[in-house]
Amino acid sequence: MRNPVLVATATVVTLLLTGCGSGSSGQPGEIRLRMIESLTGPERTKLIKSLLADFERANPGVTVELISPPLDSADQKITQILQTKKGLDVLEVRDHTAKSFSNNGWLAELPTTEWAGWPALTELAQKKAVEVGGKAYLIPYGFYQRTLFYRTDFGMTAPPATWQELYEAGKRMTTGDRYGYSFRGGKGGADYAVMMISAYNGDQLNPEKSFYLKDKRTIFSTPEAAQALDLFVKIFKEASPPDSVSWGYPEMVQGFTSGVTGMLIQDPEVIKTVEESGVTAWSTAPIPKGPTGYAYQPVGYAGWGVTSFSEHPAEAVKLVQFLSEAEQSIAFAKGNSLIPISKEAQNDPQFSQGAWKAYLQAQQDPKQVITIRPVDYPGWSQFLVDSDRDVQSLITGKKGTAEVLKAWDAFWVDQAKKVS
């Protein structure tokens, strides 16, 4: 008896490849590239198609077919196509797929030093391009990095520079049906606890392995971690809406734009949401620091790569380089509210003024540090589930900070043994 799931999967791959087999075209001598995106969305796809049309005009004889799978299953579809090793030239590579794709030999190494556009990339873009194995398997198209959003109509004259100041400002704002902070108690909430714990560990933390200290203990093992987690609970109980015990991304943003909360920490795509909400009295600032003056956070990213089996590698590389040039990459960053990869963007009013200025300030501050999370450790996915559950228990009083930190410390001590 045939497995219906396997039949359906095979049918999907066949359909994708039928319409996108690489190389052939209706015109003799014409080169047709096939490109697939992952974070699909109507407006985003429309923007990519306009950039591809510009590329085709600049490169007569080369056409590009864009494949846009549904967002929820896009990475699965990309993996299925890569496993066939045919019918694809350019693809979207995300920070969490780059390592597996390159380890399987599906990605070609991109030229860097011999590419004239490489020096025009920001230091962060260059660093993330070669993050996997020291080789450029993708060129990032933009970054997601958190910043503090605050409402100036809540009586705040200057943003909090530290987590302690955020707590105190949040308490002052909390009155009646207004609250200080958009707390994330639902899925993903533990990431905010880790961000605070990291800041409180200060310069002891190892940014390259950010769940560990430079002396190889975990960041959850210190007295500073307990101070941070105690304050995390106080921010929830004394400066945040009770309903935020279950808030995720949409509720946090809605709380801020609706006037329920006065502060929010989120990614740059929220800038567009706030602008379109009609709220006018607001601003942004770099995320708060710990007592020793350090703030730590990972940066999310994705980019464009070339398959190792492309039938037209020169043209595929040329397309990735075209999309990564200042004009195209800045247009893409603007259209998707991303932190741009081009140094030239620092002269663009959109990225050097207003709400975006906080990102430039953070990049220029050596104590606003970008970290690397242990996403390649075997227990990473399990920790995401367990830690969110522990945060729920913590803020509802079912567990104490010592119990939670002891469990997190033991978990990552064990993980260190598994990768050593």
Side-chain angles (χ1 to χ4, degrees), residues 11-25 32-35 63-68 81 86-89:
T11 302
V12 169
V13 175
T14 301
L15 288 173
L16 285 169
L17 294 176
T18 300
C20 57
S22 180
S24 62
S25 74
R32 186 171 62 180
L33 298 175
R34 274 86 181 202
M35 173 177 173
T63 60
V64 185
E65 178 186 348
L66 179 66
I67 307 165
S68 304
I81 296 175
K86 59 182 179 181
L88 192 63
D89 302 286

Side-chain angles (χ1 to χ4, degrees), residues 3 10 29 62 73 86 90 99 145 171 174 178 207 231 240 249 256 293 306 318 340 375 381 395:
N3 185 324
V62 181
S73 57
K86 59 182 179 181
V90 176
K99 188 167 186 176
Q145 187 176 349
K171 276 191 68 176
T174 300
R178 278 189 171 187
L231 184 61
S240 306
Y249 171 86
F256 183 79
V306 172
K318 195 172 185 179
V375 296
S381 298
I395 60 178

Side-chain angles (χ1 to χ4, degrees), residues 147-412:
T147 195
L148 171 69
F149 295 75
Y150 64 97
R151 294 189 61 136
T152 53
D153 57 353
F154 270 50
M156 180 174 283
T157 56
T162 67
W163 284 103
Q164 180 65 32
E165 290 180 10
L166 182 144
Y167 160 69
E168 292 168 358
K171 276 191 68 176
R172 288 194 298 270
M173 291 179 182
T174 300
T175 176
D177 56 357
R178 278 189 171 187
Y179 299 88
Y181 182 63
S182 272
F183 190 88
R184 185 165 190 160
K187 185 178 180 181
D191 199 50
Y192 287 79
V194 171
M195 186 163 60
M196 289 184 64
I197 290 169
S198 301
Y200 269 65
N201 275 297
D203 62 0
Q204 298 181 82
L205 185 142
N206 178 0
E208 300 299 317
K209 293 184 177 181
S210 65
F211 278 19
Y212 298 93
L213 305 176
K214 292 172 182 173
D215 65 7
K216 302 188 184 306
R217 290 180 296 152
T218 82
I219 61 171
F220 309 111
S221 66
T222 65
E224 291 83 0
Q227 294 173 21
L229 206 52
D230 284 340
L231 184 61
F232 176 77
V233 175
K234 288 174 68 175
I235 290 173
F236 167 69
K237 291 185 175 179
E238 301 176 32
S240 306
D243 289 349
S244 64
V245 65
S246 59
W247 278 10
Y249 171 86
E251 293 84 7
M252 295 171 72
V253 177
Q254 175 65 22
F256 183 79
T257 57
S258 66
V260 173
T261 64
M263 293 182 287
L264 164 74
I265 293 178
Q266 262 300 344
D267 292 333
E269 75 267 18
V270 173
I271 291 175
K272 190 174 183 179
T273 304
V274 178
E275 289 173 342
E276 294 175 349
S277 72
V279 178
T280 56
W282 64 285
S283 189
T284 59
I287 61 169
K289 295 178 175 178
T292 60
Y294 280 87
Y296 295 95
Q297 65 170 314
V299 59
Y301 67 96
W304 306 116
V306 172
T307 62
S308 58
F309 47 85
S310 170
E311 294 181 17
H312 305 289
E315 290 77 12
V317 168
K318 195 172 185 179
L319 173 56
V320 170
Q321 293 176 343
F322 175 83
L323 294 172
S324 307
E325 291 173 356
E327 181 178 352
Q328 289 74 240
S329 67
I330 290 174
F332 191 74
K334 285 183 176 179
N336 293 282
S337 283
L338 296 166
I339 299 171
I341 62 169
S342 170
K343 293 177 181 174
E344 193 174 313
Q346 295 181 6
N347 301 319
D348 189 303
Q350 176 163 327
F351 297 111
S352 59
Q353 300 175 9
W356 286 93
K357 191 175 180 180
Y359 292 96
L360 281 179
Q361 292 173 336
Q363 289 178 20
Q364 294 165 355
D365 182 348
K367 291 190 175 180
Q368 287 278 347
V369 183
I370 300 298
T371 62
I372 297 176
R373 292 277 172 85
V375 296
D376 54 344
Y377 281 50
W380 172 251
S381 298
Q382 186 61 49
F383 181 73
L384 295 182
V385 176
D386 293 348
S387 58
D388 276 346
R389 182 198 58 214
D390 287 341
V391 162
Q392 274 286 302
S393 298
L394 184 66
I395 60 178
T396 56
K398 296 175 182 174
K399 286 185 178 179
T401 55
E403 182 181 3
V404 169
L405 288 172
K406 183 179 180 181
W408 292 1
D409 176 52
F411 184 91
W412 287 103

